[in-house]
Amino acid sequence: TSIPLAYKDDIILVSGNDLLCFDPETISEKWRFQTNASSELAKIDQWDYHHSSPILHEGVVYFGCGNGKLYAINPDTGEEVISWESVDQAPIRTTPNIVDGILYFGDWEGVVYAVDLESTQLKWSARTYTGPHFDNYAGILSQIEVGENLVYYGARNQNIKALNKTN
């Protein structure tokens, strides 16, 4: 599961590849967004326990999934607003971050993405690793942090790196 998100009087969290909302007092499920995703074993190894945690931004919940999609969900109804797909449907294990109207996330193949939320279009993407998949572990796992000029991320290869924020 993910880190839970408190929304109004409810709790929203990722469980497996689904996003669910429940009432913590009655422990009853209010809604469930089913991604119908099953992570391909070839893309995820036995040590993968990471999941994207949901975040709330301007009345929309965002989370990444093992099927390579980053979803935007209505937190009141559990309905999909929009989604974006990673290159080669690489699983998204990062908790997304939104700064100045730009949505940042990374995928299991080492690609970092910046999406303009106003236009809903990809602003840029950067492949951060080009070696063999399991030799250095390309997967972006940390939440993307954004500074004044740089975008910081951590990967499974135990390195923290930075990219230019504008491109």
Side-chain angles (χ1 to χ4, degrees):
T1 62
S2 67
I3 296 171
L5 169 69
Y7 176 71
K8 296 182 179 177
D9 291 329
D10 297 328
I11 298 294
I12 298 173
L13 57 85
V14 174
S15 180
N17 279 313
D18 295 344
L19 185 70
L20 63 96
C21 176
F22 70 94
D23 180 325
E25 289 186 26
T26 64
I27 311 176
S28 60
E29 190 175 297
K30 293 183 121 178
W31 55 257
R32 177 182 293 257
F33 177 75
Q34 294 182 304
T35 65
N36 297 318
S38 59
S39 298
E40 294 181 37
L41 293 176
K43 291 188 178 186
I44 298 294
D45 64 36
Q46 62 185 336
W47 297 282
D48 175 42
Y49 57 88
H50 299 88
H51 284 275
S52 174
S53 292
I55 64 165
L56 180 69
H57 178 76
E58 295 183 358
V60 177
V61 172
Y62 298 86
F63 79 103
C65 183
N67 64 1
K69 288 188 178 181
L70 193 292
Y71 292 98
I73 304 295
N74 180 319
D76 294 310
T77 65
E79 295 175 349
E80 182 178 335
V81 176
I82 192 170
S83 64
W84 299 270
E85 194 167 294
S86 64
V87 175
D88 298 327
Q89 298 174 327
I92 299 168
R93 298 304 195 208
T94 57
T95 295
N97 196 359
I98 299 171
V99 176
D100 298 329
I102 306 297
L103 168 68
Y104 298 93
F105 62 96
D107 72 22
W108 195 253
E109 296 294 328
V111 180
V112 175
Y113 303 84
V115 174
D116 183 305
L117 286 179
E118 186 175 335
S119 70
T120 71
Q121 299 299 307
L122 180 67
K123 184 175 177 179
W124 57 260
S125 66
R127 183 167 296 279
T128 65
Y129 179 78
T130 57
H133 181 64
F134 288 107
D135 282 358
N136 253 346
Y137 302 101
I140 309 295
L141 297 178
S142 71
Q143 175 173 308
I144 308 296
E145 290 298 327
V146 182
E148 188 173 325
N149 298 309
L150 298 174
V151 175
Y152 303 92
Y153 66 93
R156 266 189 97 191
N157 57 23
Q158 303 177 13
N159 291 318
I160 295 177
K161 295 182 179 180
L163 298 170
N164 184 303
K165 184 176 165 180
T166 57
N167 62 11

